[in-house]
């Protein structure tokens, strides 16, 4: 369905000016350690002018102007990413069969699971890590199912280039989507940036280009593209001759963009802690500038004119001494102690709040971690990070189920799987990289007699693939029984003893 140029213009303009986009760019900037302290003028100060009654800004060009951005935020985002995604994500097909599954059913399940992973590809987990980081920085991230040269792919789009359009009633379901991006146009006399727009609905996509008509900016449909365009093409080849027989046009029947929410509120991870980080940066930067300016020494200078005074200051800075034959000149130095302990206490308190409200673990805090923490203390230490991770995992799991719907559609169109299989027949597990006391956990699992071997293996710190480990245990058990049988037979066994007794009776 076509959309009016004016509506596109209003949507893009409003989005670019919105608080949502501002926070997206802010989160990305702080992740790259480009904190606000880098833009702050630390040489200027404000005073009240009693003559005018106004606040006047003064600048001291002699003051040091060091800016120290601290990387608390990128550390916390990377910590959450590693906690959620450093171990492989498990996606397994489970057939809806109530009775015990035979080997044929298990093989069929494994075959379908492998088909899914063959389409998702080796870069899928890398994609999920990237989308988690994007969602942490910007509140949400997007995945776009598409086809490139006849192959199903998942594209990642910058969130600041995406405008979702939801239904009016629930504001939950996508009814359309705008993806806009800037390309430098080199066709004119001078290069200039132009905005290109893709407008997607559940059946088609239309392309628009920013165009100047007089002094007005409008968005006109791209005449070089089919109008409207289908969602994707499928190329059909002749199996015998490998020739292209035809090209099919397809649409998904839904808007093909998948949202990954960072949390229910779609807040960035930066929002709760930005004021605390800014305060820490400012206090530490000012402290460094104070040290550099040597403001702990106050010079009391008497008997010097303006010109002599400038020369005196230069001598003090460069040579560290002042020489004078004038008996009226007098120089005294007084030491002003810097309140170091108070500053350190304030910085320590701010750092603790940054980690508390950032729901992260300060691994540098030896007082919290201790020398050999128990499992209970580690559980307590990781409680906030675990809850924050679960918020993001909820958004990731929902998104992966949507991704599976598209993958299954691809397989069904190729006739590789039954039509009744759906995305909710799959089990999705995130294997969080929680730090724990390994010895304590292994002993607990070994001594527990109420749970099965499979459950123990699923929770064992040294087991990555439970099915492989079960197969190894089965093989080891068979090998042990074989060895015991050989030892038993070589030592006589029941049969030999029975024959021996029989011979004795005969005699």
């Amino acid at each position: 369905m076509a959309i009016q140029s004016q509506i596109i213009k209003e949507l893009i303009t409003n989005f670019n000016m919105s608080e949502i986009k501002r926070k997206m760019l802010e989160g990305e900037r702080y992740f790259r350690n480009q904190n606000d302290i880098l833009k702050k003028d630390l040489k200027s100060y404000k005073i009240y002018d009693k003559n005018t009654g106004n606040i006047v800004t003064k600048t001291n060009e002699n003051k040091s102007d060091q800016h120290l951005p601290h990387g608390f935020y990128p550390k916390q985002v990377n910590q959450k990413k590693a906690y959620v995604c450093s171990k492989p994500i498990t996606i397994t097909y489970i057939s809806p069969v109530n009775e015990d599954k035979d080997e044929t059913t298990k093989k069929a399940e494994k075959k379908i699971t492998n088909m899914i992973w063959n389409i998702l590809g080796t870069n899928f987990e890398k994609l999920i890590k990237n989308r988690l980081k994007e969602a942490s920085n910007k509140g949400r991230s997007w995945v776009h199912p598409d086809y490139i040269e006849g192959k199903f792919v998942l594209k990642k789009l910058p969130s600041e280039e995406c405008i979702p359009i939801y239904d009016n009633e629930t504001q939950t379901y996508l009814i359309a989507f705008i993806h806009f991006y800037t390309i430098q146009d080199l066709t004119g006399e001078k290069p200039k940036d132009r905005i290109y727009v893709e407008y997607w609905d559940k059946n088609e996509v239309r392309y628009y280009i920013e165009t100047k008509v007089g002094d007005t900016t409008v968005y006109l449909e791209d005449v070089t593209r089919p109008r409207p365009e289908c969602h994707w093409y499928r190329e059909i080849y002749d199996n015998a001759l490998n020739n292209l027989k035809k090209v099919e046009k397809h649409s998904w029947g839904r808007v093909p963009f998948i949202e990954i929410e960072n949390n229910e509120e779609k807040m960035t991870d930066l929002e709760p802690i930005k004021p605390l980080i800014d305060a820490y940066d400012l206090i530490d930067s000012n402290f460094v500038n104070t040290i550099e300016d040597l403001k702990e020494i106050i010079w009391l200078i008497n008997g010097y004119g303006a010109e002599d005074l400038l020369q005196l200051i230069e001598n003090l800075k460069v040579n560290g001494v002042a020489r004078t034959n004038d008996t009226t000149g007098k120089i005294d130095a007084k030491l002003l102690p810097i309140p170091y302990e108070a500053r350190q206490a304030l910085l320590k308190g701010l750092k603790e709040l940054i980690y508390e409200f950032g729901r992260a673990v300060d691994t540098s805090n030896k007082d919290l971690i201790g020398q050999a923490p128990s499992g209970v203390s580690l559980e307590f230490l990781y409680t906030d990070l675990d809850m924050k991770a679960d918020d993001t995992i909820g958004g990731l799991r929902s998104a992966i189920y949507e991704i599976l719907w598209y993958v299954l559609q691809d397989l069904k169109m190729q006739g590789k799987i039954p039509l009744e299989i759906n995305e909710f027949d799959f089990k999705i597990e995130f294997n969080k990289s929680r730090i724990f006391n390994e010895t304590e956990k292994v002993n607990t699992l070994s001594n527990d007699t109420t749970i099965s071997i499979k459950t123990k293996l699923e929770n064992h710190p040294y087991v990555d693939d439970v099915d492989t480990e079960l197969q190894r245990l089965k093989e080891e058990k068979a090998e042990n029984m074989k060895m015991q049988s050989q030892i038993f037979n070589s030592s006589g066994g029941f049969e030999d003893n029975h024959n021996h007794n029989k011979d004795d009776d005969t005699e």
Side-chain angles (χ1 to χ4, degrees):
M1 180 180 68
I3 184 172
Q4 294 179 4
S5 171
Q6 184 62 27
I7 296 177
I8 294 177
K9 183 178 179 179
E10 288 179 6
L11 287 171
I12 293 176
T13 301
N14 291 338
F15 178 72
N16 284 336
M17 297 174 62
S18 68
E19 190 74 1
I20 292 174
K21 182 165 183 178
R22 185 189 67 78
K23 289 180 178 179
M24 286 180 179
L25 299 178
E26 194 173 64
E28 181 69 20
R29 183 162 50 81
Y30 269 66
F31 183 79
R32 300 183 185 280
N33 220 32
Q34 300 295 308
N35 300 4
D36 281 353
I37 189 67
L38 295 174
K39 301 183 292 183
K40 194 171 184 64
D41 182 9
L42 299 180
K43 288 186 175 185
S44 298
Y45 57 94
K46 297 181 184 296
I47 61 172
Y48 174 74
D49 189 337
K50 61 181 181 181
N51 295 323
T52 63
N54 297 325
I55 301 296
V56 180
T57 301
K58 299 278 188 177
T59 301
N60 181 2
E61 294 297 340
N62 294 319
K63 181 178 170 60
S64 296
D65 195 27
Q66 298 294 330
H67 301 75
L68 301 179
H70 294 79
F72 295 115
Y73 178 65
K75 181 178 179 180
Q76 291 188 9
V77 171
N78 286 324
Q79 184 181 76
K80 184 176 78 169
K81 182 177 71 171
Y83 187 73
V84 174
C85 295
S86 64
K87 289 185 178 180
I89 300 169
T90 304
I91 302 176
T92 311
Y93 173 67
I94 301 175
S95 59
V97 178
N98 295 326
E99 62 271 9
D100 291 339
K101 298 174 183 177
D102 55 20
E103 287 300 317
T104 302
T105 303
K106 291 180 180 178
K107 287 181 180 179
E109 288 179 341
K110 192 168 186 179
K111 182 180 179 181
I112 292 174
T113 299
N114 289 338
M115 284 183 184
I116 295 295
W117 277 108
N118 286 338
I119 292 179
L120 293 176
T122 56
N123 289 324
F124 177 70
E125 289 179 352
K126 183 179 178 181
L127 172 77
I128 293 299
K129 289 179 182 179
N130 177 276
R131 296 296 82 192
L132 183 151
K133 180 187 73 176
E134 174 100 352
S136 299
N137 291 337
K138 302 174 184 178
R140 73 200 73 185
S141 58
W142 295 95
V143 175
H144 173 42
D146 199 4
Y147 278 82
I148 296 179
E149 297 180 352
K151 183 178 179 182
F152 180 85
V153 296
L154 295 168
K155 293 180 178 179
K156 54 187 181 183
L157 303 177
S159 300
E160 64 272 19
E161 296 179 354
C162 300
I163 305 176
I165 302 173
Y166 299 103
D167 66 296
N168 290 329
E169 185 175 350
T170 67
Q171 289 292 304
T172 301
Y173 302 104
L174 277 180
I175 59 172
F177 193 90
I178 288 178
H179 176 217
F180 68 99
Y181 46 92
T182 301
I183 297 178
Q184 193 173 69
D185 188 354
L186 303 176
T187 57
E189 295 181 1
K190 294 182 180 180
K192 61 179 180 179
D193 292 340
R194 299 178 71 182
I195 296 176
Y196 286 69
V197 179
E198 301 170 6
Y199 177 81
W200 297 73
D201 61 23
K202 67 178 184 178
N203 296 316
E204 61 191 36
V205 55
R206 291 177 180 267
Y207 299 89
Y208 299 82
I209 303 176
E210 179 189 25
T211 307
K212 281 282 188 181
V213 179
D215 295 331
T216 305
T217 299
V218 296
Y219 290 87
L220 302 179
E221 280 202 74
D222 186 353
V223 295
T224 65
R225 308 289 293 263
R227 293 182 290 170
E229 179 81 283
C230 65
H231 283 171
W232 57 279
Y233 294 94
R234 184 183 177 199
E235 298 175 343
I236 307 297
Y237 287 88
D238 187 304
N239 292 331
L241 303 175
N242 199 31
N243 293 330
L244 181 64
K245 293 172 58 178
K246 62 178 179 177
V247 177
E248 295 179 348
K249 294 183 177 182
H250 289 276
S251 290
W252 292 110
R254 60 170 69 178
V255 184
F257 291 87
I258 301 168
E259 184 177 21
I260 300 173
E261 298 178 351
N262 187 43
N263 45 55
E264 188 177 352
E265 296 78 20
K266 300 181 184 179
M267 287 176 57
T268 71
D269 284 356
L270 177 65
E271 289 179 59
I273 58 175
K274 182 183 180 298
L276 298 168
I277 294 175
D278 289 343
Y280 194 102
D281 289 347
L282 180 61
I283 292 169
D284 210 23
S285 297
N286 280 333
F287 181 58
V288 169
N289 288 327
T290 300
I291 296 295
E292 187 170 331
D293 289 338
L294 295 177
K295 284 196 175 176
E296 72 273 24
I297 294 179
I298 300 298
W299 296 97
L300 302 178
I301 302 171
N302 295 313
Y304 287 88
E307 294 182 3
D308 293 335
L309 183 60
L310 293 175
Q311 183 64 44
L312 174 62
I313 292 172
E314 184 177 341
N315 283 334
L316 287 172
K317 281 194 170 184
V318 177
N319 302 314
V321 297
R323 188 173 118 186
T324 176
N325 294 323
D326 189 348
T327 57
T328 62
K330 182 181 178 182
I331 302 175
D332 285 333
K334 288 194 175 182
L335 186 65
L336 180 66
I338 297 174
Y340 175 79
E341 297 296 335
R343 287 176 185 267
Q344 290 304 108
L346 179 56
L347 290 176
K348 181 181 178 183
L350 283 171
K351 184 178 180 182
E352 290 174 355
L353 290 175
I354 288 169
Y355 277 96
E356 179 180 351
F357 294 116
R359 296 193 293 172
V361 178
D362 182 7
T363 54
S364 67
N365 192 335
K366 304 304 179 186
D367 295 335
L368 280 176
I369 296 178
Q371 298 300 318
S374 66
V376 175
S377 62
L378 282 170
E379 286 281 345
F380 178 78
L381 185 64
Y382 276 77
T383 298
D384 284 341
L385 175 60
D386 197 56
M387 289 190 295
K388 182 171 73 169
D390 284 342
D391 286 345
T392 303
I393 285 173
L396 285 170
R397 181 175 281 111
S398 297
I400 292 175
Y401 274 122
E402 280 198 67
I403 289 171
L404 287 175
W405 182 87
Y406 287 95
V407 172
L408 292 173
Q409 291 299 112
D410 180 66
L411 289 171
K412 289 174 184 178
M413 282 186 284
Q414 298 179 55
K416 292 184 177 181
I417 60 171
L419 297 177
E420 61 269 16
I421 293 179
N422 66 68
E423 64 271 28
F424 300 111
D425 293 332
F426 289 80
K427 183 180 180 181
I428 301 170
E429 291 181 291
F430 289 85
N431 305 300
K432 291 182 281 192
S433 297
R434 181 178 300 175
I435 297 175
F436 49 81
N437 189 314
E438 291 183 347
T439 303
E440 191 176 300
K441 186 168 186 177
V442 170
N443 290 338
T444 301
L445 290 171
S446 300
N447 296 329
D448 196 324
T449 58
T450 62
I451 57 178
S452 66
I453 292 177
K454 186 171 183 179
T455 301
K456 290 181 179 181
L457 291 175
E458 287 174 342
N459 293 277
H460 201 288
Y462 303 135
V463 176
D464 293 325
D465 190 323
V466 175
D467 291 335
T468 301
E469 197 64 29
L470 284 171
Q471 182 62 31
R472 288 173 181 170
L473 287 171
K474 184 178 179 181
E475 292 171 357
E476 283 185 7
K477 184 177 180 180
E479 184 66 25
N480 289 336
M481 291 183 65
K482 182 178 178 182
M483 290 177 61
Q484 289 176 8
S485 177
Q486 289 175 350
I487 293 171
F488 183 74
N489 290 334
S490 64
S491 62
F494 290 119
E495 185 177 352
D496 289 342
N497 289 335
H498 176 73
N499 291 337
H500 178 70
N501 294 333
K502 188 174 181 180
D503 290 342
D504 288 344
D505 292 340
T506 304
E507 289 178 357

